[in-house]
Amino acid sequence: MTMHPHARLPDSLNDCLALDHNDPLRALSEQFILPEGIIYLDGNSLGALPQATAARVNDAVTRQWGQGLIRSWNEAGWFELSQRVGDRIARLIGAGEGEVLAVDGTSINLYKVLCAALDLASARGAQSLTVLSEGGNFPTDLYIAEGVCRERGASLRSVESSGLNAALAAGVDVVMLTHVNFRTGAMHDMAALTRCAQAAGALVIWDLAHSAGAVPVDLHGANADFAVGCGYKYLNGGPGAPGFVWVHPRHADRALQPLSGWWGHAAPFAFTPGYRPAPGILRYQCGSQPILSLIALDEGLNSVLAAESLGGITALRAKSLALTELFIRRVEPLLTAHGFGLATPREHTARGSQVSLTRSEGAYEIIQALIARGVIGDFRAGDGAAHPDILRFGFTPLYVGFADVWRAADHLQAVMASGEWRAPQFALRHAVT
Ligand SMILES: *Cc1c(COP(=O)(O)O)cnc(C)c1O
């Protein structure tokens, strides 16, 4: 086996600078516009802006819309854009062509696939249906599941991740999990859990919000049933970018999704009464899509797929692990000295592309003090004593380098040593954390 260039972790800032200089993925970072003096560790929440996006969206507005007018639905390929962008996302998640749509948002796509999965479970003869998820899942996933269960008279069970296997044994119909946990960065073994859930008779929905573009995902390899994910995180699609939805071809023609809008009709421009679902994944469309946002997402995907000639997601993953490993190693002395905990698993196979620190007080203020120093991470409220507040640092290997990691850890050390996080301005809460 050959040594990966990132296998050895750097011991100094100079080492980091040299590693960045020789990084085979370095050219990828030149695709992005990042403000001078900013270390951006929040690409897991909102990916950075690719250089090419502004011109691409400008062209879509002025030429395609302004000059092409309604002709652009055909001539600029607007109508099939969800499919074309979906096909490109498919390459990052182990899905096939014609199986993925870039459409609507993650919450809405979850609604569609949960309903479809419950219909399939009913068709198998299940009586009172149960959806299983994790208590620590992203709240919108649980909120949507609550709503779907209320509507359908199904019940929602959420357990700690350590309790999943026991809960499966008790009998469930649909399992809805997020592959990489948004708070802790912990990553599930998708193939093993899917196998286990299916052996227990359940259908499995994976949320790939923190996975797509960040870690290798193989939906077919894992034999998953459904998946959804986000366009504005590691796919760099821009604020509110469309999400995506995948349905295994064995199910795609069998179940309906309930948002039976005209875009999911077999013949949308026949304008006939009576809904007839389009074949396959196309029925997961509902209505007109935000074309400008889809075009920005397509450009975001260019920035990720540009890695394909440099080793692709495997190379990105190797660098991401080296970055998170270096950060963990550098903040290690702060854990005991300043009362932080490490929420992210140390085992490589069990973590995504972020590092989360816990602290019983001051997590919000410390993040604000770091932002004032130009190090942008974010804060996520915990949910009680068992889950304290979190300081979250995302490492997007496309544009974060080793020197960034080194300096970010130095800033955290300085914020703690000086106590500057206690300054009153850092306690002011904003609407978006
Ligand atoms: C970011 C994220 C979402 C966001 O849902 P939207 O509908 O795009 O707002 C949903 N689920 C998970 C797991 C996420 O990480």
Side-chain angles (χ1 to χ4, degrees), residues 105-108 137-138 140-141 178 182 207 209-210 230 232-233:
T106 307
S107 304
I108 293 169
N137 202 342
F138 193 95
T140 201
D141 299 48
T178 297
F182 81 108
D207 187 331
H210 286 267
C230 253
Y232 50 80
K233 291 170 180 166

Side-chain angles (χ1 to χ4, degrees), residues 48-315:
L49 169 66
Q51 304 263 7
T53 300
R56 183 85 191 276
V57 172
N58 185 51
D59 175 71
V61 170
T62 56
R63 189 179 58 82
Q64 294 185 356
W65 176 17
Q67 300 301 310
L69 294 165
I70 201 161
R71 293 170 291 189
S72 287
W73 282 107
N74 292 313
E75 289 168 12
W78 287 352
F79 191 66
E80 296 81 21
L81 199 52
S82 284
Q83 297 166 59
R84 285 208 309 279
V85 177
D87 279 341
R88 306 182 78 213
I89 294 171
R91 278 146 64 177
L92 296 168
I93 58 176
E97 262 198 36
E99 295 176 5
V100 177
L101 288 177
V103 73
D104 300 326
T106 307
S107 304
I108 293 169
N109 288 329
L110 261 173
Y111 178 78
K112 297 176 205 165
V113 298
L114 264 168
C115 291
L118 284 170
D119 281 352
L120 287 172
S122 288
R124 288 174 172 181
Q127 293 294 311
S128 61
L129 298 172
T130 305
V131 176
L132 174 67
S133 192
E134 262 182 274
N137 202 342
F138 193 95
T140 201
D141 299 48
L142 297 172
Y143 300 159
I144 292 285
E146 260 183 56
V148 169
C149 287
R150 195 182 324 115
E151 206 172 73
R152 307 238 159 181
S155 49
L156 173 65
R157 277 197 72 192
S158 5
V159 299
E160 292 279 306
S161 90
S162 56
L164 282 170
N165 283 330
L168 282 174
V172 300
D173 302 289
V174 176
V175 178
M176 178 192 76
L177 294 171
T178 297
H179 183 218
V180 176
N181 185 278
F182 81 108
R183 268 200 197 89
T184 63
M187 182 166 74
H188 282 305
D189 181 338
M190 181 183 287
L193 262 170
T194 302
R195 211 178 310 119
C196 200
Q198 289 171 343
L203 291 153
V204 189
I205 300 170
W206 285 102
D207 187 331
L208 305 177
H210 286 267
S211 310
V215 300
V217 175
D218 188 359
L219 288 170
H220 275 288
N223 192 36
D225 295 294
F226 298 88
V228 299
C230 253
Y232 50 80
K233 291 170 180 166
Y234 293 99
L235 302 183
N236 308 318
F244 62 88
V245 57
W246 171 80
V247 178
H248 194 286
R250 69 174 166 260
H251 303 311
D253 281 327
R254 289 179 51 229
L256 292 174
Q257 60 91 2
L259 302 177
S260 46
W262 70 303
W263 275 42
H265 191 279
F269 286 92
F271 294 107
T272 48
Y275 180 74
R276 274 189 300 121
I281 195 68
L282 292 181
R283 67 182 58 182
Y284 284 78
Q285 304 194 95
C286 176
S288 302
Q289 289 301 301
I291 297 301
L292 301 177
S293 293
L294 271 171
I295 286 170
L297 173 57
D298 194 39
E299 201 52 57
L301 277 163
N302 283 344
S303 73
V304 183
L305 295 174
E308 281 184 338
S309 59
L310 300 167
I313 195 77
T314 310

